[in-house]
Amino acid sequence: MNIKLNSRDPVYIQVIRYFKEQIATGILEPGQEIASRRELANKLKINPNTAQRAYKEMEEQGLIFTEGNLPSRITKDEVIIKHVREELILEAVNTFIASIQSINVSLEEAVELIKKNYHKNPNEQEGNQ
Amino acid sequence: MNIKLNSRDPVYIQVIRYFKEQIATGILEPGQEIASRRELANKLKINPNTAQRAYKEMEEQGLIFTEGNLPSRITKDEVIIKHVREELILEAVNTFIASIQSINVSLEEAVELIKKNYHKNPNEQEGNQ
DNA sequence: TAAAGTGTATTAAGCATATAATACACAACA
DNA sequence: TGTTGTGTATTATATGCTTAATACACTTTA
């Protein structure tokens, strides 16, 4: 469970994003059981209600499903899973392009920056006001 | 005044970011007068207190300064101005890299995506849940 | 001089988020 | 059979952000 919570964004949003990443990379497999609400809350030191809110929303989005009162599981719908990855990529690309265009960074400059920083250890990186 | 406010982030944060972009691109020049709190609030249809909060924070960060009760002005400190642009770029790059690495997108794939989407009309783009 | 426009400050209310503390029905299991 | 662990739900409280409504001191200007 390698998730860092920031204090900017709503916690339940960050939890959902974390699961989307795990699903997109295949770390969480179709049909796989996930932590219960209480278990997740314990691990992340968050409130069980917040965990419940995240799971409820993921259920509404079809990312997970629940049968009876068994622990929830990752969807088996491959279409949804594929869509999750594409959605995350598209969002990242669009956000990045909007950011650099707003300050007149050229395509060449942007590509150079990505190449230069891609292999850096994140701990060496600065930024994020 | 070309600023779109979303409902995700705090308004005063978005206002600060907007001014940083204007400063970074040189659209707002050193020493230039900016809209008064009330004027800005009117233009953006936000509360004067929110405008005041944004300006106060920008003043604390050295981005603007105020003499007497004249309209505030953009800082004349070129070091700060240069730093603003670098900060925005670094933040965009680091955020993007973190996002794509979290879903195992390769450097090559990432560069391709940037190249493919850079010249697209933003209105054609999708995403942003 | 009076009006209008500055920056600055205070108080109150509403909303979303997060936490806290419970509660209940159900199923597995020791 | 009772305990434990599921999902699910409700009520209350606190905090941050936003809006609203004022207020005051100071300049400029008509």
Side-chain angles (χ1 to χ4, degrees):
Chain A
M1 188 78 28
N2 185 22
I3 171 175
K4 293 176 195 167
L5 297 175
N6 67 56
S7 54
R8 270 191 317 287
D9 308 311
V11 174
Y12 77 97
I13 296 287
Q14 297 179 63
V15 170
I16 293 173
R17 186 185 171 86
Y18 172 76
F19 274 93
K20 283 185 177 177
E21 289 172 357
Q22 301 286 299
I23 293 173
T25 53
I27 294 176
L28 287 176
E29 295 174 4
Q32 182 175 340
E33 266 193 10
I34 59 178
S36 76
R37 278 76 167 160
R38 292 172 177 85
E39 196 180 343
L40 182 76
N42 266 330
K43 283 184 184 169
L44 305 188
K45 313 289 183 195
I46 63 176
N47 196 276
N49 298 328
T50 305
Q52 159 66 359
R53 176 159 187 186
Y55 277 25
K56 188 178 181 183
E57 198 142 319
M58 286 195 287
E59 186 134 20
E60 285 166 358
Q61 292 180 26
L63 300 174
I64 63 175
F65 65 97
T66 311
E67 285 170 341
N69 30 12
L70 297 176
S72 300
R73 305 159 134 241
I74 302 298
T75 181
K76 295 174 181 171
D77 186 333
E78 298 284 357
V79 176
I80 290 183
I81 292 174
K82 187 173 183 184
H83 182 261
V84 166
R85 184 164 196 270
E86 288 166 354
E87 174 203 329
L88 291 179
I89 292 177
L90 194 61
E91 186 187 322
V93 170
N94 287 346
T95 300
F96 176 65
I97 290 180
S99 295
I100 60 174
Q101 287 185 340
S102 73
I103 44 180
N104 293 341
V105 174
S106 71
L107 173 58
E108 293 71 25
E109 200 178 340
V111 169
E112 276 315 300
L113 285 164
I114 299 301
K115 287 182 180 173
K116 194 170 71 182
N117 289 278
Y118 186 89
H119 292 109
K120 272 194 188 161
N121 181 330
N123 297 330
E124 297 173 20
Q125 295 182 7
E126 313 159 44
N128 291 36
Q129 78 162 44
Chain B
M1 187 80 27
N2 184 23
I3 171 174
K4 294 175 194 166
L5 297 176
N6 67 55
S7 54
R8 268 190 319 286
D9 308 311
V11 174
Y12 77 96
I13 296 288
Q14 297 180 62
V15 170
I16 293 173
R17 181 180 175 91
Y18 172 76
F19 274 94
K20 283 185 177 176
E21 289 173 356
Q22 300 285 299
I23 293 172
T25 53
I27 294 175
L28 287 177
E29 295 174 3
Q32 183 176 340
E33 264 192 11
I34 59 178
S36 77
R37 276 76 168 160
R38 290 172 178 84
E39 196 180 344
L40 181 76
N42 265 330
K43 283 184 183 170
L44 305 189
K45 313 290 183 195
I46 63 176
N47 195 277
N49 299 327
T50 305
Q52 159 66 0
R53 176 157 188 186
Y55 276 25
K56 188 178 181 182
E57 199 143 317
M58 288 196 286
E59 187 135 19
E60 285 166 358
Q61 292 180 26
L63 299 174
I64 63 175
F65 66 96
T66 311
E67 285 169 341
N69 30 13
L70 297 175
S72 300
R73 303 157 138 242
I74 303 297
T75 182
K76 295 174 181 171
D77 186 334
E78 298 285 357
V79 175
I80 290 183
I81 292 175
K82 188 173 182 183
H83 182 260
V84 167
R85 184 164 196 270
E86 288 166 355
E87 173 203 330
L88 291 179
I89 293 178
L90 193 62
E91 186 187 323
V93 170
N94 287 345
T95 300
F96 176 66
I97 290 180
S99 295
I100 61 173
Q101 287 184 340
S102 73
I103 44 178
N104 294 341
V105 174
S106 70
L107 173 56
E108 293 70 27
E109 199 178 342
V111 168
E112 275 316 301
L113 285 164
I114 300 301
K115 286 182 179 173
K116 194 170 70 182
N117 289 279
Y118 186 90
H119 293 106
K120 271 196 189 160
N121 182 329
N123 298 330
E124 296 173 23
Q125 296 181 7
E126 314 159 43
N128 289 37
Q129 82 162 39

